[in-house]
Amino acid sequence: MANGRRRRKLHLSKIYTFKCVKPSVDEDDQSQIGGPGFSRVVYCNDPDSLEIHRYANNYVKTTKYTPATFIPKALFEQFRRVANFFFLLSGILAFTPLAPYSSTSAIVPLVFVIGVSMVKEGIEDWRRKQQDIEVNNRKVKVHRGNGVFEYMQWRHLRVGDLVKVEKDEFFPADIILLSSSYEDAICYVETMNLDGETNLKLKQALEATSSLSEDSSFADFKAIVRCEDPNANLYSFVGTMDIESQYPLSPQQLLLRDSKLRNTDYVYGVVVFTGHDTKVMQNSTDPPSKRSRIERKMDYIIYFMFGMLSLISFIGSIFFGIWTRDDLRNNVMTRWYLRPDNTTVYFDPKRAALAAFLHFLTALMLYSYFIPISLYVSIEIGKLLQTVFINNDIQMYHEESDKPAHARTSNLNEELGQVDTILSDKTGTLTCNSMEFVKCSIAGTAYGRGITDVEMAMARRKGSPIADQHGELDDSDDETPPVKGFNFKDERIAGGKWIYEPHSETIQKFLQLLAVCHTVIPEVDEETGNISYEAESPDEAAFVIAARELGFEFYKRTQTAVYLHELDPISGQKVDRSYKVLNVLEFNSTRKRMSVIVQTEEGKLLLLSKGADSVMFARLAKDGAEFEEETREHVNEYADAGLRTLLLAYRELNEEEYAEFNEKFSQARNSVSVDRETLIDQVAEIVEKDLILLGATAVEDKLQTGVPECIDKLAQAGIKIWVLTGDKMETAINIGYACSLLRQGMKQIIINLETPEIKALEKSGDKDAIAKAHKESVVQQITLGKAQVTSPGGESEAYALIIDGKCLAYALEDDVKISFLALAVSCASVICCRSSPKQKALVTRLVKEGTKKTTLAIGDGANDVGMLQEADIGVGISGAEGMQAVMSSDIAIAQFRFLERLLLVHGHWCYRRISSMICYFFYKNITFGVTVFLYEVFTSFSAEPAYNDWFLSLYNVFFTSLPPIALGVLDQDVSARFCRKFPLLYQEGVQNVLFSWRRIFTWMFNGVYSGVIIFFFCAKALSLSAFNSAGKTVGSEIFGVTMYTGVVIVVNCQMALFVQYFTLVQHIFIWGSIGIWFLFLVIYGAINPDLSTTAYEVFVEAAGPAPRFWVVTLLMLVAALVPYFAYSAVQMRFFPMYHNMIQWIRLEGRSEDPEYAAMVRQRSIRPTTVGFTARAAARKGRASRERQQNGR
């Protein structure tokens, strides 16, 4: 062996389940290799191979554009929007004689708006480009020949290259592990970038390559890898490696790109997938495109405006055609000043129909100002700035984890204010996913005196004085500092006193099993000597910590053994013991258990197993179930207390039995077929039987801080809350009580398949009959539930629906799901137990599509990704289960309690701001468009614009664009404190009262009214009389400037009336927009008349010095805004909306008056909802009814 580094051969299959010695591979197992989906052939260390050119290089591109495609693709993205496409057509037509204004004035605003959006797109893509450059230019050591490794940039890697990756470096591609710095060729890998999990994964090389320990060992290395084609499955890999003989490859040898090498000095490997063929890039699909309901409704408004624009253009063209035809009647010129006897086709009385059609095209361009050209870009800017406020909200910052809120998209900000139903995961979302060992049952005796959150809630329901007892426990003399993961208190076995218990030998085996049966990796702090544990799940870490605290400290792991400091019951001293690990039978969701086979120092072969009670009790030996009845009872009690339970059992194996098992197990592991995992499970079934029961563990996943209070506020806001969890029904129900989703007195509709008839039928084994009976039972229970809810008196009761995963599968079938949804939405809370990830997504889709209302899904794990992507809004919790949910979410927060502020405060504000912003945009453009249209009417539809070309173009871009952006970012109808104090305010968004068609048309009518007032005031006040002291009458240029000034001042002052929360920014934008108009008028009017045309000196010489100009402007302002002011005053005083009522409370200083505030808030407290406030209201209601009955 190289330099004597390897001291012995290791049968690695007897450690961590994978056989790495030369296997006897069955040809049938390899039948897939070379077939469809398994066609990749990699010639290792052969740079001259022609095969490498068939495969992708290692250059990775995540950008949306390239320099060549940026302009065409970005333009395509912009002109997919119907409004932008319309303005493009108008801009093209502006270059024809049909245009009522100059082509430059038509194109410049469009270029500006499109340009701003493209610049935003370009900046975002440039940031992605910078990231790509950084990643592609990273360096890794690559074999250059003759055993020499040199640094090479990642992007130059090719399939078949040999690489050497050193500690704390990322893997540059998907690599087959050949050897490592460890003599048994293992390495530790961190996959946080792939699946978000922080725990380390163990990988192993084939023993055939594990001796390649130095650079020089690869001088003549040659091998051929045949494997599956690129795919997105992170957890599977099928292939073979030919090195003299053929060896099977599995996921245990595959090192994935973007994972990191940890706790290992270096590894050698061969590249099999590069660039976009790697599994991480295969997984990097774009999330589903989501658009808010307001944005989709805005499209309909634009379509409506297009219809109205086309209609008035059509009507105007008809009148124009009629008047043009009548201009020359019997050779008499009606409108002689137009010279109809000598005109172009546009006014030719002999071709009136054609003239009318051409006028229609001209009118479409002229009336295009009814559509706000800057609407999209202004809303994008507003939403982007809203996300800045969300991301920087200090009250949604979690100091412990140093994680602020993060809005990963700005498209759905206003949707946060319209959520009707929240679908939540439980573990890690409502709870901390930080497990604490609390109780255990050993040899039929229950240990652990701790009181859980759920037990406290149960005690409160029953009126028990357990809180006082809990206080007494807390005041005990135990001054031991708290240990994370361990909250176990019982003087009978703590401190080594378990040796005096009647079943001390069983307790010893129980604790040994906790310390040995796991895949935890210990890490020793070199400075302090303290041991910390890297575990695949919080449960595993809690078990190992509990064993340590009770006298069985796990301190070292090798690939052949685990080492403990054990408390010897005879001597009472700590002794060192080792257990040789022969096999690990891994946990999965089908097996629901994990086992290890170990050999003790005395040579005994032991199978140590832990798993769910649903599978473990059935595997007990007849003489091994001595404590089964007591243990069952304890497990049920623990589940009632909201604890997660596992059963612990063991058996002793003889050598012949183990040898037979190991041979079959090795064959199953070496199988190169799709059903490899099934074969492994079948072999494991052979040995995992006839177990001897030791006891059960109970760990608590504590509720996150503030969860009950948050749920209470969300319930008061009228939001329905569903919990979708994989836990047992009993656990989920009790967690529901603890977090106020359920309460005493709430009627529970439980749908399960636990009836004696169903159980008897299940024993018959007839699958078709069982499935039919299951479905009929579920349908019947749903029907009975609906009848109960809709019965007389049922509507005044609060109901909770609780259904398990097996029943849910039938409830989600096409012919049942509508009935199930009808029952579910009638209930105050819904809890779906034992739900699979797919079921979570299907339930979310059912609620979203069935109710047609906004759904929000919140979760923290990879199993929640489907649910998050299916919901209208996906919120990821950045918790202990990694970042995969966060990476798939629209918004990330660190704690469930932040959902209250996110929805009730930011959601309400964003909804109000965006809806008001859109309404105002259409108001101001209709005001402007009406003046243009009426001027057309008074000029016999001659397509003569009322305003100068640049007045038309800059109206939306400069003079009225900034105030609505400030409104969309800064306005507040109610402060954050009042939003949370009066949660029912949130229903304004759920019921969409601020963006209803009634409100939209009201604003449109306001725009029509303002436009009519402005036009007729100007027309009547400025006609048929001298305009100034010189006796000059008003021409079209003065008339246009006066009317335009009125429009700019009126729409900006309308904004000033509409704003609820003035800041300095609003003042600057509103009054500054008016000031900019006058400044522009002076500067533009001073330019050469060839450029300024009708605006030349019109303000300085004509309008400005004339008192009538200022009087008319003032009168227009008053006349246009008085009706809105009066309407708002009457509504505020006599017909206040809910936010108006809260404003009155604030105005009158009665916010601290508890009686008055409670009276207003009472509207949001309904006994039929969930939350502790509703619970108190229901209790108060019951007491009131009882008093009334007694009074009778």
Side-chain angles (χ1 to χ4, degrees):
M1 299 301 168
N3 298 330
R5 183 177 75 94
R6 306 193 64 81
R7 296 186 294 275
R8 56 180 175 175
K9 293 251 182 172
L10 298 173
H11 293 282
L12 300 182
S13 66
K14 298 180 181 180
I15 315 161
Y16 290 154
T17 73
F18 283 89
K19 180 82 171 175
C20 298
V21 293
K22 179 180 176 180
S24 55
V25 181
D26 185 61
E27 292 182 4
D28 292 337
D29 292 338
Q30 290 185 292
S31 60
Q32 299 174 91
I33 303 298
F38 296 85
S39 61
R40 178 161 290 225
V41 180
V42 178
Y43 292 90
C44 306
N45 200 25
D46 187 1
D48 299 323
S49 170
L50 297 177
E51 287 289 326
I52 64 173
H53 300 291
R54 293 175 47 199
Y55 305 128
N57 59 31
N58 204 40
Y59 184 85
V60 168
K61 181 175 78 73
T62 61
T63 56
K64 190 176 180 179
Y65 308 103
T66 66
T69 63
F70 174 70
I71 291 179
K73 285 185 71 174
L75 287 174
F76 175 75
E77 288 294 326
Q78 294 303 315
F79 290 119
R80 285 173 65 185
R81 291 173 167 170
V82 63
N84 288 346
F85 183 71
F86 170 76
F87 286 114
L88 174 65
L89 293 179
S90 297
I92 293 171
L93 288 175
F95 288 92
T96 69
L98 292 170
Y101 38 65
S102 68
S103 57
T104 305
S105 64
I107 289 296
V108 168
L110 180 64
V111 170
F112 175 79
V113 170
I114 298 298
V116 169
S117 297
M118 288 178 64
V119 167
K120 173 178 168 287
E121 285 276 308
I123 292 173
E124 291 176 352
D125 212 51
W126 174 251
R127 290 173 181 165
R128 289 191 285 267
K129 176 69 173 177
Q130 295 300 107
Q131 293 174 350
D132 289 348
I133 291 172
E134 188 274 326
V135 169
N136 288 316
N137 287 340
R138 291 177 183 171
K139 293 185 177 181
V140 66
K141 287 185 176 179
V142 180
H143 187 236
R144 293 292 197 175
N146 300 320
V148 176
F149 283 78
E150 297 178 356
Y151 280 106
M152 176 190 288
Q153 290 179 332
W154 280 20
R155 57 180 174 165
H156 297 310
L157 275 182
R158 305 293 302 195
V159 171
D161 283 345
L162 296 178
V163 297
K164 181 180 182 180
V165 180
E166 298 181 331
K167 184 177 180 180
D168 293 329
E169 289 183 347
F170 289 99
F171 296 110
D174 289 353
I175 295 167
I176 296 296
L177 176 63
L178 298 176
S179 62
S180 77
S181 58
Y182 286 101
E183 60 182 50
D184 37 14
I186 58 99
C187 69
Y188 297 102
V189 175
E190 181 183 85
T191 59
M192 183 184 293
N193 286 351
L194 304 182
D195 54 20
E197 296 182 5
T198 56
N199 54 286
L200 302 183
K201 310 291 193 306
L202 187 94
K203 300 289 184 178
Q204 299 175 288
L206 298 172
E207 189 171 355
T209 62
S210 60
S211 61
L212 302 170
S213 59
E214 297 179 345
D215 292 1
S216 58
S217 306
F218 293 91
D220 300 315
F221 175 78
K222 298 289 181 183
I224 299 176
V225 173
R226 293 179 174 85
C227 65
E228 64 189 22
D229 293 336
N231 60 73
N233 195 329
L234 295 173
Y235 307 107
S236 73
F237 180 74
V238 177
T240 61
M241 178 178 282
D242 293 335
I243 318 173
E244 299 176 355
S245 296
Q246 192 176 78
Y247 300 87
L249 296 171
S250 71
Q252 196 72 350
Q253 286 84 48
L254 187 65
L255 307 174
L256 299 179
R257 180 189 173 109
D258 280 353
S259 53
K260 182 186 285 189
L261 184 65
R262 294 286 303 276
N263 294 2
T264 310
D265 292 334
Y266 60 84
V267 296
Y268 294 100
V270 59
V271 176
V272 288
F273 297 123
T274 49
H276 289 274
D277 286 347
T278 57
K279 290 184 179 287
V280 66
M281 294 306 296
Q282 292 278 313
N283 273 278
S284 61
T285 56
D286 293 331
S289 178
K290 297 181 180 180
R291 297 182 70 208
S292 70
R293 279 170 167 72
I294 284 184
E295 191 173 343
R296 292 196 292 267
K297 193 170 186 176
M298 187 174 70
D299 290 343
Y300 289 114
I301 299 173
I302 290 178
Y303 294 143
F304 171 78
M305 293 302 298
F306 278 140
M308 295 304 298
L309 186 155
S310 301
L311 179 62
I312 62 175
S313 297
F314 180 72
I315 293 172
S317 298
I318 291 175
F319 280 102
F320 176 77
I322 293 171
W323 290 344
T324 299
R325 184 194 62 191
D326 294 343
D327 272 345
L328 194 63
R329 180 177 294 178
N330 299 325
N331 293 322
V332 176
M333 294 181 290
T334 305
R335 293 186 296 181
W336 53 268
Y337 51 86
L338 294 178
R339 291 298 307 276
D341 58 329
N342 184 24
T343 186
T344 62
V345 67
Y346 303 109
F347 296 94
D348 190 349
K350 297 177 181 178
R351 290 185 286 177
L354 178 59
F357 173 73
L358 296 175
H359 177 274
F360 175 76
L361 298 178
T362 301
L364 285 178
M365 288 186 280
L366 186 61
Y367 301 151
S368 64
Y369 294 98
F370 278 99
I371 311 295
I373 190 173
S374 59
L375 175 62
Y376 285 119
V377 68
S378 297
I379 289 177
E380 282 185 5
I381 294 171
K383 287 183 176 182
L384 193 63
L385 294 174
Q386 285 174 358
T387 61
V388 173
F389 283 106
I390 292 174
N391 296 345
N392 289 279
D393 189 338
I394 193 67
Q395 294 190 47
M396 293 197 294
Y397 169 72
H398 190 233
E399 188 173 1
E400 185 178 336
S401 61
D402 189 30
K403 289 177 180 174
H406 177 49
R408 303 181 72 248
T409 176
S410 60
N411 293 341
L412 305 172
N413 292 358
E414 66 273 26
E415 201 90 325
L416 291 171
Q418 296 183 281
V419 174
D420 178 75
T421 306
I422 294 173
L423 301 104
S424 175
D425 176 40
K426 183 188 78 66
T427 304
T429 304
L430 298 177
T431 58
C432 298
N433 200 22
S434 177
M435 307 300 176
E436 288 187 340
F437 189 92
V438 178
K439 300 184 180 186
C440 63
S441 171
I442 309 174
T445 303
Y447 295 98
R449 306 191 190 280
I451 297 175
T452 67
D453 290 342
V454 172
E455 286 177 310
M456 291 289 290
M458 291 170 66
R460 285 193 292 269
R461 294 205 311 273
K462 298 174 182 177
S464 169
I466 194 170
D468 298 332
Q469 300 171 17
H470 185 58
E472 292 172 9
L473 284 173
D474 288 344
D475 294 336
S476 63
D477 296 332
D478 184 10
E479 297 180 357
T480 307
V483 177
K484 185 177 181 181
F486 186 74
N487 189 22
F488 181 86
K489 297 176 182 178
D490 197 315
E491 67 282 356
R492 291 175 291 173
I493 62 173
K497 294 180 182 178
W498 59 266
I499 61 176
Y500 304 113
E501 285 292 289
H503 297 281
S504 59
E505 185 177 345
T506 304
I507 296 175
Q508 182 181 16
K509 291 177 180 177
F510 181 94
L511 297 175
Q512 285 173 337
L513 193 152
L514 285 182
V516 173
C517 183
H518 54 75
T519 56
V520 175
I521 301 168
E523 289 189 349
V524 181
D525 189 318
E526 296 179 358
E527 295 181 2
T528 64
N530 294 333
I531 298 175
S532 59
Y533 298 113
E534 287 278 354
E536 291 192 10
S537 70
D539 307 63
E540 289 245 288
F543 294 145
V544 176
I545 291 169
R548 181 188 67 192
E549 296 300 314
L550 295 174
F552 290 74
E553 182 179 29
F554 164 58
Y555 68 93
K556 180 182 177 183
R557 176 188 290 281
T558 68
Q559 292 314 296
T560 56
V562 294
Y563 298 85
L564 308 183
H565 296 309
E566 284 191 12
L567 179 62
D568 181 34
I570 299 175
S571 65
Q573 302 295 318
K574 286 284 186 77
V575 296
D576 291 346
R577 287 181 64 89
S578 64
Y579 296 83
K580 186 176 182 181
V581 181
L582 302 178
N583 301 90
V584 175
L585 311 181
E586 298 166 329
F587 176 90
N588 62 42
S589 57
T590 304
R591 285 166 39 78
K592 296 183 180 179
R593 63 191 180 277
M594 173 205 173
S595 302
V596 295
I597 299 176
V598 298
Q599 188 172 32
T600 66
E601 292 177 347
E602 294 79 17
K604 288 184 179 180
L605 292 173
L606 298 177
L607 170 75
L608 307 178
S609 186
K610 63 184 180 186
D613 59 302
S614 58
V615 297
M616 292 294 286
F617 278 126
R619 284 168 173 73
L620 298 180
K622 290 183 180 180
D623 58 350
E626 180 182 354
F627 317 110
E628 180 179 354
E629 186 176 343
E630 296 91 339
T631 305
R632 277 186 186 274
E633 186 177 337
H634 294 154
V635 166
N636 290 333
E637 289 175 1
Y638 296 154
D640 288 342
L643 301 175
R644 295 166 65 132
T645 59
L646 285 180
L647 255 59
L648 275 57
Y650 81 103
R651 66 173 294 207
E652 201 168 324
L653 305 175
N654 58 51
E655 293 187 4
E656 294 78 12
E657 185 180 12
Y658 173 71
E660 181 183 354
F661 158 77
N662 194 46
E663 182 179 354
K664 293 180 179 179
F665 187 72
S666 298
Q667 290 176 356
R669 267 298 177 193
N670 295 328
S671 168
V672 191
S673 61
V674 173
D675 59 350
R676 175 194 287 175
E677 296 301 321
T678 304
L679 294 174
I680 293 169
D681 291 349
Q682 291 172 353
V683 174
E685 290 278 348
I686 297 173
V687 73
E688 290 176 322
K689 63 181 182 179
D690 298 331
L691 302 176
I692 299 173
L693 180 64
L694 294 174
T697 61
V699 296
E700 180 184 17
D701 189 4
K702 298 182 76 68
L703 284 177
Q704 288 185 13
T705 304
V707 166
E709 292 80 7
C710 176
I711 288 176
D712 184 63
K713 280 293 176 65
L714 295 175
Q716 288 185 53
I719 301 173
K720 302 178 186 70
I721 302 171
W722 295 28
V723 173
L724 312 177
T725 177
D727 283 337
K728 290 193 296 186
M729 184 173 287
E730 296 81 4
T731 305
I733 288 173
N734 286 298
I735 289 291
Y737 277 115
C739 63
S740 297
L741 272 173
L742 303 175
R743 65 168 186 269
Q744 190 178 21
M746 178 181 278
K747 294 186 177 180
Q748 296 181 5
I749 300 173
I750 298 177
I751 300 177
N752 59 29
L753 298 171
E754 299 298 322
T755 63
E757 296 81 5
I758 294 292
K759 288 185 175 181
L761 185 60
E762 287 175 344
K763 293 179 181 179
S764 69
D766 187 344
K767 292 184 178 179
D768 293 336
I770 293 171
K772 183 179 179 181
H774 282 176
K775 184 172 181 179
E776 289 175 352
S777 176
V778 170
V779 171
Q780 183 182 15
Q781 291 179 72
I782 291 174
T783 304
L784 291 174
K786 288 172 65 179
Q788 187 177 353
V789 171
T790 57
S791 64
E795 295 179 358
S796 62
E797 297 286 348
Y799 289 90
L801 174 64
I802 300 150
I803 183 171
D804 66 15
K806 191 183 292 186
C807 296
L808 192 59
Y810 296 104
L812 291 173
E813 291 184 2
D814 291 341
D815 56 337
V816 185
K817 63 183 182 182
I818 302 301
S819 296
F820 168 66
L821 180 63
L823 172 61
V825 297
S826 302
C827 296
S829 62
V830 180
I831 299 177
C832 300
C833 314
R834 296 293 195 190
S835 305
S836 67
K838 184 177 181 181
Q839 285 178 330
K840 290 183 178 183
L842 290 175
V843 169
T844 304
R845 181 186 300 174
L846 175 63
V847 177
K848 180 178 72 172
E849 296 179 352
T851 63
K852 304 297 183 185
K853 294 181 179 179
T854 304
T855 57
L856 180 147
I858 179 168
D860 72 318
N863 60 331
D864 301 317
V865 168
M867 178 174 72
L868 298 184
Q869 293 187 338
E870 191 64 52
D872 292 300
I873 307 169
V875 176
I877 299 284
S878 46
E881 287 195 28
M883 299 296 288
Q884 193 158 346
V886 169
M887 290 155 58
S888 303
S889 67
D890 304 303
I891 297 172
I893 56 178
Q895 295 275 287
F896 183 88
R897 69 176 186 270
F898 296 149
L899 197 61
E900 177 191 343
R901 184 171 177 86
L902 181 67
L903 298 186
L904 301 190
V905 179
H906 290 285
H908 172 73
W909 284 348
C910 290
Y911 164 73
R912 185 186 185 281
R913 289 164 177 171
I914 293 298
S915 58
S916 300
M917 185 179 179
I918 296 171
C919 288
Y920 177 80
F921 254 105
F922 285 104
Y923 155 78
K924 73 181 182 65
N925 275 71
I926 288 174
T927 299
F928 186 63
V930 165
T931 61
V932 174
F933 172 73
L934 291 177
Y935 186 82
E936 273 290 279
V937 174
F938 273 70
T939 57
S940 66
F941 294 101
S942 60
E944 185 69 22
Y947 307 117
N948 180 280
D949 292 355
W950 286 104
F951 294 179
L952 290 168
S953 300
L954 299 181
Y955 176 77
N956 281 307
V957 178
F958 286 120
F959 306 136
T960 61
S961 61
L962 293 179
I965 292 177
L967 172 76
V969 177
L970 300 172
D971 197 35
Q972 298 177 16
D973 57 345
V974 172
S975 67
R977 184 168 70 93
F978 283 96
C979 283
R980 300 171 75 174
K981 190 171 185 177
F982 301 96
L984 190 65
L985 178 66
Y986 187 80
Q987 278 295 309
E988 291 189 344
V990 177
Q991 297 173 18
N992 201 23
V993 297
L994 300 182
F995 201 62
S996 62
W997 283 111
R998 177 183 175 183
R999 186 176 175 85
I1000 292 166
F1001 285 128
T1002 300
W1003 272 100
M1004 288 182 175
F1005 175 78
N1006 189 22
V1008 172
Y1009 169 80
S1010 298
V1012 169
I1013 288 294
I1014 291 169
F1015 177 81
F1016 282 103
F1017 256 84
C1018 287
K1020 296 301 180 183
L1022 301 180
S1023 62
L1024 305 177
S1025 61
F1027 180 68
N1028 56 20
S1029 57
K1032 291 183 179 179
T1033 57
V1034 172
S1036 61
E1037 65 283 352
I1038 297 176
F1039 183 82
V1041 164
T1042 306
M1043 191 161 59
Y1044 195 94
T1045 301
V1047 171
V1048 170
I1049 293 177
V1050 165
V1051 298
N1052 278 290
C1053 288
Q1054 171 70 72
M1055 172 63 76
L1057 283 179
F1058 184 54
V1059 168
Q1060 308 272 331
Y1061 180 72
F1062 262 107
T1063 65
L1064 180 61
V1065 174
Q1066 263 114 335
H1067 281 294
I1068 292 174
F1069 282 4
I1070 291 172
W1071 313 123
S1073 294
I1074 297 172
I1076 288 174
W1077 156 243
F1078 285 111
L1079 183 65
F1080 170 81
L1081 199 54
V1082 171
I1083 296 174
Y1084 182 56
I1087 297 175
N1088 188 292
D1090 291 337
L1091 297 175
S1092 59
T1093 60
T1094 58
Y1096 181 71
E1097 298 291 355
V1098 68
F1099 179 72
V1100 173
E1101 292 186 358
R1108 181 172 294 200
F1109 170 79
W1110 301 104
V1111 171
V1112 169
T1113 300
L1114 179 62
L1115 291 175
M1116 283 190 296
L1117 175 63
V1118 173
L1121 296 185
V1122 161
Y1124 173 82
F1125 182 81
Y1127 172 82
S1128 299
V1130 170
Q1131 184 197 51
M1132 182 77 172
R1133 173 58 67 180
F1134 300 107
F1135 310 101
M1137 298 175 70
Y1138 198 70
H1139 71 271
N1140 297 137
M1141 296 174 65
I1142 300 171
Q1143 288 170 342
W1144 275 115
I1145 292 175
R1146 182 183 61 187
L1147 178 67
E1148 295 173 355
R1150 303 180 70 176
S1151 60
E1152 302 306 322
D1153 181 347
E1155 185 175 343
Y1156 186 78
M1159 181 187 70
V1160 175
R1161 192 165 57 245
Q1162 191 67 29
R1163 294 176 54 175
S1164 68
I1165 300 172
R1166 289 161 292 166
T1168 57
T1169 59
V1170 299
F1172 52 75
T1173 305
R1175 181 171 63 217
R1179 190 164 54 241
K1180 183 178 179 181
R1182 283 196 301 271
S1184 176
R1185 287 194 296 272
E1186 289 173 1
R1187 284 195 301 269
Q1188 290 176 1
Q1189 291 172 358
N1190 293 334
R1192 292 172 188 166

